[in-house]
């Protein structure tokens, strides 16, 4: 008998009485024993439509008071993939969103909230219409779980710029044919700090065979965040690229830019990071707090990728760019990044400032393939989920070690925990400029009125 390998707390399978049913009230997916033949794996079974009970590392307020909770995900649809989660990376954006730092522009966060958009796991089941994945494949999910798929941006493979707005992996709202539906209906999307994830196959990323699964999650976020502006600005052999900040994003930026043939300069406040920058492959190093260093490096860069995640004097980097066509791309999520986005929208390509956030599905697949080809992996620390408070505090202190933290979901998320069982919530600082609409407007006006965009 073919039996569904579903989540232990999920619905009970039943044998199909006559082919594959496809109605709003019947959901099917494939679950198979590993020893089954390929032919047998194509046999579909019907399962009850009940939502899946899953474990999630969730916080109940902006205090980031995490605990492991039992929540629910939708029953898999015919075009869905069910992921047995192994790892999930922790991004600085997770902290900003969980702590409510972005509510002024991103909207209210619904709690309990589950962050995580650096997913890596193994396919445990696929729907009857899925063609991209099979059971046992290694799969990743990045920052999006849906988009309209019909606008010009989506058709061009830039779903992150969907004209109707993409649906984020967490804190997003389902709006396209229930492809990102949640339980109960209408709740915000639950992210990757979970033991089971359900995603439409279009937004799954194939992790190449042999690529370390624990390192794959950060590529879904940090990797594509650095790759996409390099691709957009056609950075290749000989392009002189500056990387501002040597945290989790910066270290990936160095490695990816070098793989594309770029000459890389790291710009950091601390001379103590020079050894790490060199280890990552940087050709040059500039201490931004040293006026002599900045003067020597003046007009030496074609492109700057600014990864610093908090507001800072990013305009000081303008002197490092060439006068003709030099660009500084703001990547860190703060008021300056959104201000650069606003100015770019007003003055167009004449601006030396622009911003970038994530990449589309095709770019994410391209960067994980590039990393596999060149043996590029992020510097990571795999940690148990019980260490989430320590991780958030490390990220809040600007992550001077440049490490990408990765939660060991498979081995350390086993059962719900009582509130407070993980200790006191992390002690976090207030952002220098909280993200509000007023703050963004002021930043845009400052850039325009003082001609800082040139």
């Amino acid at each position: 008998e073919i039996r569904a390998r579903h989540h232990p707390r999920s619905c009970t399978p039943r044998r199909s009485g006559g082919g594959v049913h496809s109605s709003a009230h019947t959901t099917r997916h494939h679950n198979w024993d590993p020893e089954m033949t390929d032919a047998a794996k194509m046999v579909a079974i019907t399962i009850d439509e009940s939502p899946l009970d899953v474990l999630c590392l969730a916080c109940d307020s902006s205090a980031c008071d995490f605990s492991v909770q039992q929540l629910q995900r939708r029953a898999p649809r015919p075009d869905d993939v069910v992921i047995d989660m192994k790892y999930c990376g922790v991004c600085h954006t997770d902290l900003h969103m969980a702590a409510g730092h972005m509510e002024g522009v991103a909207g209210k966060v619904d709690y309990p909230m589950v962050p995580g958009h650096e997913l890596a796991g193994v396919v445990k089941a696929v729907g009857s219409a899925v063609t991209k994945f099979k059971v046992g494949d290694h799969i990743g999910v990045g920052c999006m779980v849906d988009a309209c798929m019909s606008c010009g941006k989506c058709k061009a493979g830039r779903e992150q710029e969907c004209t109707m707005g993409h649906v984020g992996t967490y804190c997003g709202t389902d709006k396209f044919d229930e492809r990102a539906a949640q339980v109960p209906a209408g709740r915000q999307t639950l992210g990757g700090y979970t033991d089971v994830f359900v995603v439409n196959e279009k937004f799954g990323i194939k992790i190449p065979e042999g690529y370390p699964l624990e390192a794959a999650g950060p590529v879904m976020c940090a990797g594509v965040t650095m790759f996409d502006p390099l691709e957009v600005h056609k950075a290749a052999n000989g392009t002189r690229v500056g990387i501002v900040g040597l945290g989790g994003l910066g270290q990936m930026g160095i490695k990816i830019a070098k793989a594309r043939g770029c000459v890389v300069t790291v710009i950091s406040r601390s001379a103590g990071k020079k050894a790490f920058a060199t280890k990552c492959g940087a050709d040059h190093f500039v201490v931004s707090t040293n006026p002599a260093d900045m003067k020597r490096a003046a007009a030496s860069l074609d492109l700057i990728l600014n990864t610093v995640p908090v507001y800072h004097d990013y305009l000081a980097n303008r002197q490092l760019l060439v006068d003709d066509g030099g660009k500084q791309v703001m990547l860190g999520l703060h008021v300056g990044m959104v201000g650069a986005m606003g100015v770019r929208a007003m003055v167009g390509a004449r601006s030396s400032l622009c911003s970038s956030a994530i990449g589309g599905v095709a770019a994410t697949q391209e960067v994980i393939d590039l990393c596999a080809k060149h043996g590029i992996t992020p510097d990571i620390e795999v940690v148990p989920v019980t260490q989430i408070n320590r991780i958030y505090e490390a990220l809040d202190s600007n992550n001077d070690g440049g490490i990408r933290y990765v939660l060991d979901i498979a081995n350390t998320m086993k059962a719900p925990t009582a509130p407070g069982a993980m200790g006191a919530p992390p002690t976090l600082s207030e952002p220098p400029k909280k993200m509000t609409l007023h703050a963004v407007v002021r930043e845009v006006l400052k850039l325009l009125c003082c001609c800082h965009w040139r």
Side-chain angles (χ1 to χ4, degrees):
E1 182 181 6
I2 301 173
R3 298 187 178 276
R5 296 275 185 183
H6 209 42
H7 192 275
R9 294 179 296 279
S10 63
C11 44
T12 303
R14 61 179 186 270
R15 296 300 299 272
S16 174
V20 176
H21 302 288
S22 57
S23 73
H25 304 290
T26 304
T27 301
R28 330 167 145 261
H29 72 271
H30 305 160
N31 268 323
W32 306 287
D33 291 328
E35 61 269 22
M36 292 177 65
T37 66
D38 287 341
K41 288 179 181 179
M42 297 309 295
V43 178
I45 60 171
T46 305
I47 63 171
D48 183 48
E49 67 165 348
S50 301
L52 312 186
D53 292 329
V54 302
L55 294 176
C56 296
L57 185 62
C59 61
D60 290 316
S61 74
S62 60
C64 299
D65 45 350
F66 282 97
S67 62
V68 178
Q69 303 180 25
Q70 182 172 297
L71 299 174
Q72 289 189 317
R73 297 194 182 276
R74 67 175 181 268
R77 293 157 48 105
D79 52 0
D80 278 340
V81 177
V82 183
I83 304 172
D84 182 13
M85 286 290 297
K86 301 301 181 183
Y87 302 97
C88 187
V90 181
C91 176
H92 206 285
T93 303
D94 297 354
L95 182 159
H96 281 313
M97 293 297 291
H101 293 165
M102 302 297 298
E103 285 194 338
V105 291
K108 187 176 181 297
V109 175
D110 290 345
Y111 297 97
M113 178 264 199
V114 181
H117 55 213
E118 301 183 2
L119 290 69
V122 178
V123 175
K124 66 181 295 185
V126 298
S128 56
V130 170
T131 59
K132 186 175 177 181
F133 296 96
K134 65 182 185 301
V135 170
D137 284 350
H138 286 188
I139 182 173
V141 178
C143 302
M144 303 173 290
V145 291
D146 202 11
C148 79
M149 307 309 294
S150 59
C151 71
K153 292 292 188 180
C154 285
K155 289 179 178 178
R158 299 194 63 78
E159 299 89 352
Q160 79 276 19
E161 298 171 358
C162 175
T163 56
M164 297 182 68
H166 69 264
V167 180
T169 304
Y170 60 84
C171 291
T173 302
D174 174 53
K175 51 188 173 182
F176 305 116
D177 192 31
E178 298 186 338
R179 290 193 299 262
Q182 302 295 299
V183 180
R187 81 169 300 159
Q188 292 180 344
T189 51
L190 303 178
Y193 297 3
T194 182
D195 63 343
V196 173
F197 196 82
V198 179
V199 69
N200 182 278
E201 68 165 329
K202 293 178 181 176
F203 289 84
I205 307 298
K206 294 181 179 180
I207 298 174
E209 185 176 349
Y211 193 81
L213 203 54
E214 65 273 18
V219 180
M220 304 295 136
C221 173
V224 75
T225 296
M226 302 307 289
F227 176 86
D228 196 66
L230 290 168
E231 185 75 6
V232 167
H233 294 279
K234 298 179 171 55
N237 288 332
T239 304
R240 297 167 298 176
V241 175
I243 307 284
V244 182
L246 197 52
L249 278 177
Q251 55 135 321
M252 283 299 289
I254 297 170
K255 297 171 184 178
I256 292 169
K258 289 299 293 182
R260 294 173 65 97
C262 302
V263 178
V264 177
T265 297
V266 168
I267 303 143
S268 176
R269 294 172 304 164
S270 171
K273 286 196 172 182
K274 184 174 183 179
F276 182 55
T278 303
K279 174 188 171 187
C280 292
D283 301 288
H284 307 291
F285 190 87
V286 173
V287 179
S288 60
T289 53
N290 184 328
D293 253 19
M294 294 291 280
K295 185 176 180 179
R296 276 193 296 270
S300 65
L301 300 174
D302 304 304
L303 178 67
I304 292 175
L305 304 183
N306 190 326
T307 73
V308 178
V310 295
Y311 189 83
H312 60 288
D313 184 14
Y314 59 92
L315 295 173
N317 299 319
R318 177 64 183 89
Q319 63 188 294
L320 304 179
L321 288 170
V322 295
D323 290 331
D324 185 15
K327 303 292 182 186
Q328 178 175 199
V329 184
M330 305 297 293
L331 299 169
L333 193 55
H334 55 77
V335 170
M337 174 200 180
V338 185
M341 185 187 303
V343 168
R344 178 71 174 220
M346 294 179 186
V347 304
R350 292 179 297 156
S351 176
S352 67
L353 281 172
C354 54
S355 62
S356 181
I358 55 176
V361 173
T364 309
Q365 188 64 62
E366 202 170 338
V367 72
I368 189 71
D369 291 343
L370 176 78
C371 288
K373 178 181 177 180
H374 292 275
I376 297 172
T377 56
D379 284 44
I380 63 171
E381 180 182 338
V382 179
V383 294
V385 297
T386 52
Q387 293 295 307
I388 189 66
N389 294 339
R390 176 181 74 83
I391 296 168
Y392 272 37
E393 289 181 347
L395 293 177
D396 189 57
S397 67
N398 291 329
N399 190 19
D400 282 339
I403 296 296
R404 296 297 291 195
Y405 294 96
V406 177
L407 297 175
D408 184 353
I409 300 290
N411 294 314
T412 66
M413 187 183 288
K414 298 294 188 182
T417 60
M422 295 187 182
T427 301
L428 305 176
S429 60
E430 281 291 316
K433 278 195 179 184
K434 199 159 187 179
M435 187 83 79
T436 64
L437 183 58
H438 180 257
V440 170
V441 171
R442 285 186 62 184
E443 193 73 11
V444 171
L445 290 175
K446 180 186 81 172
L447 293 171
L448 287 174
C449 296
C450 300
C451 294
H452 289 319
W453 54 270
R454 292 184 176 177

